[in-house]
Amino acid sequence: MGYTKTAILMAAMTALFMGIGYLLGGSGGAVIALVVAAGMNAYTWWNSDKLVLRMHNAQPVIRGDRMGLHAMTAELARNAGLPEPKVYLIDTPQPNAFATGRNPANAAVAVTTGLMRSLSREELAGVIAHELAHIRNHDTAIMTVTATFAGAISMLANFALFFGGSRERLGLIGTLMLMFLAPFAAALVQMAISRTREYAADKAGAEICGNPLWLAAALEKIALGAARIDNHAAERHPATAHMFIINPLHVHKHDNLFATHPATENRIAALRSMAGQSRTAQAAGRRPATKSRVPTIRKGDRNGPWS
């Protein structure tokens, strides 16, 4: 169902983009606007991962690092059937993480130093598995395309008052409405796509790491940390907020149309329900839906082994 909603939202954004172009300049204006927007965003599409990582001053983690972060990510990637992604560390005390890249072959996973200090290895595995699920589901590419359309729509709407043809078609009031409502509508679509994708990535991430409760516990800790610890890079670049596993901007606490992420308590409840279904299947003698596949985890690491 999440994929169906995403497809509908993407189609709606495309229609909105073409509609604005038509209102501003007729069919010719729509074509010209699309071509110009495509050219302006081509560089962003091919270099989105590098741009985002640079915005957050992410530093590469080399193979064989003493923390074992690279090895854990590589092992979970094998569980997910993915190429080994690049791994980055962001120096900020807020616990958080995101994935980026236009496809699985050009993907990267970035975690913060705050996350490494806050989580156990099991919880960290759940977070990395969630980000790998985004990569496997091509969510990072989808969000890049959505952001591209949203930026193009905003550009067209901001130019609305300077096009005489648009004023003739819409009138001054209509042009003003276009100027303010079109970017707002595009932002709502982008937010809604992010929300549907988070639920899907939670489910797939739990299957990749083998235990939904690891991710549920991690989300609880990350939400508490993100609510009280600033992420200055994210505040400077709020357009990247939807990429994080938990909203880093200290806003949108409720699961509604205006939130870039679903309510954390709803995500945790879904993961706990998933774990309960797995236990029920085991008790009935059936094969469980998930199975732990992270043999590098040490059972004693419960209080943040990275501090």
Side-chain angles (χ1 to χ4, degrees):
M1 187 63 181
Y3 296 111
T4 301
K5 289 181 179 179
T6 300
I8 293 172
L9 289 168
M10 291 293 290
M13 175 164 281
T14 302
L16 177 61
F17 174 81
M18 297 301 295
I20 292 173
Y22 178 79
L23 289 172
L24 293 179
S27 58
V31 173
I32 293 173
L34 184 60
V35 171
V36 172
M40 290 178 62
N41 289 284
Y43 179 82
T44 302
W45 166 252
W46 290 104
N47 296 277
S48 59
D49 55 339
K50 301 180 183 67
L51 291 172
V52 171
L53 292 167
R54 192 177 303 125
M55 287 177 187
H56 293 274
N57 194 29
Q59 301 301 313
V61 176
I62 61 174
R63 190 186 302 272
D65 63 287
R66 65 179 181 82
M67 300 176 293
L69 179 59
H70 196 289
M72 176 184 284
T73 304
E75 186 168 359
L76 287 166
R78 287 192 294 271
N79 290 349
L82 289 170
E84 187 176 303
K86 296 178 181 177
V87 184
Y88 288 83
L89 191 64
I90 301 171
D91 187 15
T92 179
Q94 184 188 89
N96 229 316
F98 67 81
T100 186
R102 64 184 182 275
N103 56 42
N106 295 276
V109 173
V111 303
T112 68
T113 52
L115 187 83
M116 300 292 286
R117 287 192 291 266
S118 302
L119 304 188
S120 70
R121 287 181 66 87
E122 291 93 341
E123 293 160 352
L124 179 63
V127 170
I128 294 175
H130 170 97
E131 299 305 334
L132 291 173
H134 275 308
I135 294 170
R136 190 173 68 180
N137 294 343
H138 296 273
D139 293 343
T140 51
I142 288 172
M143 294 311 298
T144 299
V145 171
T146 307
T148 297
F149 276 117
I153 290 169
S154 297
M155 177 191 69
L156 289 175
N158 287 334
F159 285 151
L161 285 176
F162 298 99
F163 285 86
S166 67
R167 286 195 293 270
E168 292 172 3
R169 288 185 176 87
L170 301 175
L172 180 59
I173 295 177
T175 302
L176 287 171
M177 290 180 64
L178 177 65
M179 182 178 177
F180 290 106
L181 292 180
F184 180 68
L188 290 182
V189 173
Q190 183 177 7
M191 292 172 187
I193 287 178
S194 177
R195 291 166 58 234
T196 59
R197 287 297 180 181
E198 288 305 317
Y199 282 118
D202 284 345
K203 182 177 185 296
E207 293 169 350
I208 291 169
C209 73
N211 193 326
L213 295 180
W214 295 351
L215 179 55
L219 289 175
E220 193 168 18
K221 287 185 179 180
I222 296 170
L224 289 173
R228 61 183 178 82
I229 303 173
D230 289 329
N231 185 328
H232 298 295
E235 297 290 347
R236 289 194 301 271
H237 305 286
T240 64
H242 68 279
M243 300 179 65
F244 286 84
I245 190 170
I246 292 289
N247 192 341
L249 302 179
H250 300 177
V251 293
H252 304 319
K253 296 181 180 179
H254 301 290
D255 191 1
N256 55 48
L257 187 61
F258 298 93
T260 59
H261 294 69
T264 304
E265 56 267 27
N266 291 354
R267 297 170 66 184
I268 292 173
L271 288 164
R272 288 175 176 168
S273 175
M274 185 179 177
Q277 293 170 6
S278 180
R279 286 194 296 268
T280 301
Q282 286 180 286
R286 298 192 300 269
R287 186 176 181 179
T290 59
K291 183 179 179 181
S292 176
R293 289 169 293 191
V294 191
T296 54
I297 290 177
R298 299 188 298 271
K299 293 183 179 179
D301 291 336
R302 299 287 179 180
N303 298 312
W306 314 109
S307 57

